[in-house]
Amino acid sequence: MLVFLWYLLASLLGAGAAPAADEITYLPGLQKQPSFKQYSGYLSGTEGKHLHYWFVESQNDPSQDPVVLWLNGGPGCSSLDGLLTEHGPFLIMDDGATLQYNPYSWNKIANVLYLESPVGVGFSYSDDGKFATNDTEVSLNNYLALKDFFRLFPEFSKNQLFLTGESYGGIYIPTLAERVMEDADLNLQGVAVGNGMSSYELNDNSLVFFAYYHGLLGSQLWSELQTFCCKDGQCNFYNNQNPNCSTCLGDVQDIVYSSGLNMYNLYASCPGGVRHRVSAERGQLVIRDLGNNFINHQWTRLWNQKLLSLVALHESVRLDPPCTNSTPSTLYLNNQYVKKALHISPKALDWVICSAEVNLNYGRLYMDVKKQYLKLLSAMKYRVLVYNGDVDMACNFMGDEWFVESLQQQVQVQRRPWYYEDVDGRQVGGFVKEFDNIAFLTIKGSGHMVPTDKPVAAFAMFTRFIKKQPY
């Protein structure tokens, strides 16, 4: 009897015991504090690695709603960008001090866990101060952090779990899912990746077609690309050894990434104006290149060597994604009162949107994630969504569509428009093609950051994905 009472007492004290020390009791910048609970603190990875998290409970029914992990990409960029500028419960205003509630927040229907990964990104840190890592280490640390989250929040351990992410999250999420699906203690239900890097080869090959048919290249360059990079109707823009092809692709890269176009949204302006890929500003080297495209070409290797030599000459290096304005988020998150509210460790670095050190020293081990997707799909029990804003040039829709097609799954619903409701009535959200357990979906007129560009359509898509409704 005494043993039973002891177990009962332990379960009452332990179960449902979210870490009180991590609860955000007052968040600066809000006119009114939220009705839902939120937490911020650290989760443990491998020895000495501390990953910062910000967890927002569902505004609907936290005990029953799913837990959704969100990872931004880079590699080396912070998931708090997803929270504060994409689909979090509050969005940062231009003053860098004020937050406004987001009517299309994903935590309207889910408990959302934003994880800053890997260490060195945002407020995540390691005891030894070393941030060099690679795809395999990152997937392990993300898995360990997820396990630690459910240790701290046991009341959510039986909830449905979805893994979601964006951009280089196209590598992070499937490689994490591969570990999670082997763990019977985690109630994995599905995976969603937005504008993800799924295959370097398909991304490079499709980008050239995307650029030409969106009017960026002109007929002469296109004719030269066809002559030097294509044979028997097949084009290789990925690792073509023909020097004339390489020269043409150098021109393509200059137009797409260096001419001043917004690579994240072709039809949007470039916040802050047109800048160089690399510049020195007040003694600091500023890099506006995440290094994900045309990585096999000789001029890319030469560029990377030049970049590393420039880095060595500067004490301070900043990595800014091109045509993005991270100043408001940076001001807000480095405010001492905000850091206190979020329980940020004094060992953490100042917050920046992307870590140059992580990005420049990152080991890209997976050139595609086909194996991971096929493993997920072979289980025949997970819902998988690959979605793309259709005017993004960082990870364009065509490359991801080709990738999903390459998985050779049984088609269930042929490509068709999908719809959602907004203030003007029923609208075309984009196009969707559904296979066994996986769907490819576009968001019309959106760039790389879908919930930022098309919040209403993004929320409709997310709701249908989470609730396992038809798109």
Side-chain angles (χ1 to χ4, degrees):
M1 186 65 180
L2 282 172
V3 172
F4 172 74
L5 288 171
W6 184 86
Y7 271 117
L8 185 65
L9 183 65
S11 67
L12 286 171
L13 290 171
D22 285 2
E23 186 171 356
I24 302 169
T25 53
Y26 175 82
L27 187 64
L30 286 168
Q31 243 182 342
K32 180 175 177 284
Q33 292 300 302
S35 55
F36 56 87
K37 287 190 170 185
Q38 53 175 337
Y39 299 84
S40 170
Y42 287 89
L43 303 171
S44 296
T46 51
E47 192 178 347
K49 288 182 166 56
H50 310 275
L51 286 94
H52 174 245
Y53 79 93
W54 188 336
F55 176 57
V56 291
E57 287 192 2
S58 173
Q59 297 182 43
N60 177 45
D61 183 354
S63 65
Q64 297 302 312
D65 288 343
V67 172
V68 174
L69 172 72
W70 174 263
L71 295 174
N72 278 84
C77 298
S78 168
S79 299
L80 298 193
D81 187 51
L83 192 157
L84 291 175
T85 70
E86 294 191 71
H87 47 58
F90 13 74
L91 304 175
I92 188 70
M93 297 296 102
D94 287 343
D95 61 5
T98 311
L99 299 174
Q100 278 195 358
Y101 281 99
N102 176 10
Y104 306 105
S105 172
W106 287 9
N107 90 318
K108 294 269 185 184
I109 57 166
N111 305 287
V112 188
L113 172 62
Y114 297 88
L115 185 67
E116 296 201 279
S117 170
V119 293
V121 172
F123 291 130
S124 297
Y125 68 96
S126 61
D127 291 339
D128 62 10
K130 292 178 181 170
F131 302 138
T133 188
N134 61 51
D135 290 329
T136 303
E137 281 183 15
V138 170
S139 73
L140 174 60
N141 280 296
N142 288 341
Y143 170 69
L144 293 174
L146 197 56
K147 292 291 282 182
D148 202 33
F149 169 80
F150 287 113
R151 181 185 66 79
L152 291 173
F153 294 85
E155 66 271 35
F156 291 103
S157 60
K158 296 289 180 265
N159 295 46
Q160 292 189 337
L161 172 65
F162 292 88
L163 308 177
T164 66
E166 179 181 277
S167 194
Y168 203 81
I171 305 287
Y172 292 157
I173 291 298
T175 54
L176 171 61
E178 191 176 20
R179 294 180 188 273
V180 171
M181 69 182 286
E182 303 291 342
D183 189 333
D185 292 333
L186 297 173
N187 186 16
L188 182 64
Q189 295 294 308
V191 165
V193 172
N195 288 76
M197 175 59 81
S198 306
S199 160
Y200 287 87
E201 180 175 0
L202 296 179
N203 195 49
D204 284 356
N205 278 337
S206 58
L207 176 65
V208 182
F209 286 97
F210 180 100
Y212 175 64
Y213 286 107
H214 282 79
L216 308 184
L217 305 186
S219 55
Q220 186 179 334
L221 178 54
W222 180 244
S223 174
E224 289 170 358
L225 286 160
Q226 296 291 299
T227 302
F228 299 127
C229 307
C230 307
K231 190 178 177 185
D232 303 326
Q234 288 288 311
C235 297
N236 176 9
F237 304 125
Y238 171 62
N239 58 1
N240 201 309
Q241 299 305 305
N242 183 325
N244 291 320
C245 175
S246 278
T247 301
C248 292
L249 289 170
D251 293 341
V252 173
Q253 181 154 26
D254 283 344
I255 291 163
V256 173
Y257 298 128
S258 303
S259 67
L261 293 171
N262 185 335
M263 67 181 271
Y264 294 119
N265 185 326
L266 172 57
Y267 299 122
S269 60
C270 187
V274 176
R275 307 276 187 89
H276 294 292
R277 274 170 87 185
V278 175
S279 58
E281 297 174 14
R282 293 186 292 278
Q284 186 179 51
L285 186 71
V286 182
I287 301 169
R288 298 180 183 86
D289 178 9
L290 293 166
N292 291 324
N293 300 90
F294 299 113
I295 60 172
N296 283 318
H297 288 275
Q298 187 186 358
W299 35 261
T300 305
R301 287 194 280 272
L302 293 170
W303 166 259
N304 289 338
Q305 287 167 12
K306 181 183 171 186
L307 205 53
L308 291 172
S309 63
L310 284 170
V311 167
L313 296 173
H314 288 79
E315 220 169 279
S316 177
V317 181
R318 191 172 89 234
L319 180 62
D320 263 356
C323 296
T324 57
N325 178 15
S326 60
T327 303
S329 297
T330 307
L331 287 171
Y332 180 77
L333 290 167
N334 288 314
N335 177 299
Q336 59 173 327
Y337 299 109
V338 173
K339 287 172 82 167
K340 189 178 178 187
L342 298 178
H343 319 114
I344 300 306
S345 167
K347 294 180 183 175
L349 298 171
D350 284 348
W351 191 89
V352 289
I353 189 169
C354 299
S355 164
E357 188 174 349
V358 169
N359 180 274
L360 292 170
N361 295 289
Y362 193 88
R364 300 160 191 269
L365 304 181
Y366 296 101
M367 292 297 102
D368 69 54
V369 279
K370 191 170 182 176
K371 179 174 83 78
Q372 287 75 14
Y373 273 91
L374 290 173
K375 197 170 176 181
L376 273 170
L377 293 168
S378 68
M380 298 199 300
K381 63 178 181 178
Y382 304 115
R383 189 171 215 209
V384 182
L385 172 63
V386 175
Y387 67 91
N388 284 68
D390 63 8
V391 292
D392 173 33
M393 297 191 292
C395 299
N396 74 85
F397 81 92
M398 210 183 326
D400 279 326
E401 186 162 15
W402 289 355
F403 175 77
V404 173
E405 295 276 2
S406 79
L407 301 174
Q408 296 185 314
Q409 300 299 294
Q410 183 78 34
V411 178
Q412 292 294 343
V413 182
Q414 289 294 350
R415 206 175 195 274
R416 62 168 177 85
W418 66 274
Y419 301 90
Y420 69 100
E421 295 290 333
D422 77 359
V423 291
D424 294 322
R426 195 167 187 241
Q427 303 295 330
V428 174
F431 293 85
V432 62
K433 185 173 182 179
E434 295 179 66
F435 305 80
D436 281 342
N437 300 305
I438 185 169
F440 173 76
L441 180 146
T442 67
I443 298 86
K444 180 175 69 75
S446 175
H448 194 68
M449 285 69 94
V450 171
T452 304
D453 290 350
K454 297 288 178 181
V456 186
F459 184 71
M461 171 199 73
F462 177 70
T463 302
R464 292 168 202 176
F465 168 68
I466 288 295
K467 297 191 172 181
K468 300 181 181 173
Q469 298 167 344
Y471 296 106

